[in-house]
Amino acid sequence: MSDDRTGSIRPQGDHSHDAIARRMRQIRRCWQLSQSDLGVICGTKKNTVSHWEHGRQRPTIDQRAAPVARTGLTLDWIYPGNPGGLPLEVARRLGLL
């Protein structure tokens, strides 16, 4: 979190729909999952995954937590894009190293 000129606290990282969409698409591709596969993991439908990947909708916290448990990702990476807590192997797989 950082302080802006008004004194309010704002979260760091890119929380935009487009940024989350890119990361969700990256997760799916790096783990060689179809949209249907990721939908099953997250407890939703292929259509919903497509909406995530096109920035039309954000996954809920529960839906983001599902791939975390399965892949070693962190919510900090999925939501704001902070790779700091990722296991080394996961960061390599995502092409972050």
Side-chain angles (χ1 to χ4, degrees):
M1 304 250 175
S2 67
D3 223 350
D4 66 13
R5 292 177 189 215
T6 65
S8 64
I9 305 270
R10 57 187 162 80
Q12 298 209 343
D14 192 346
H15 299 237
S16 71
H17 279 22
D18 288 340
I20 293 169
R22 281 191 308 273
R23 288 188 289 273
M24 292 303 289
R25 194 170 34 253
Q26 187 176 8
I27 291 166
R28 187 175 61 76
R29 289 178 177 163
C30 285
W31 272 264
Q32 299 177 339
L33 300 169
S34 68
Q35 288 181 337
S36 295
D37 293 336
L38 185 56
V40 168
I41 291 168
C42 296
T44 192
K45 299 180 181 185
K46 174 187 174 196
N47 236 21
T48 303
V49 173
S50 177
H51 287 302
W52 298 341
E53 291 186 0
H54 289 93
R56 293 189 291 261
Q57 192 178 341
R58 283 187 183 194
T60 67
I61 191 74
D62 289 338
Q63 291 166 330
R64 287 184 293 233
V68 166
R70 182 103 179 242
T71 62
L73 293 164
T74 64
L75 288 175
D76 281 342
W77 184 77
I78 294 173
Y79 191 64
N82 178 355
L86 291 173
L88 190 56
E89 178 184 329
V90 172
R92 279 192 185 121
R93 188 170 193 168
L94 291 167
L96 301 174
L97 297 178

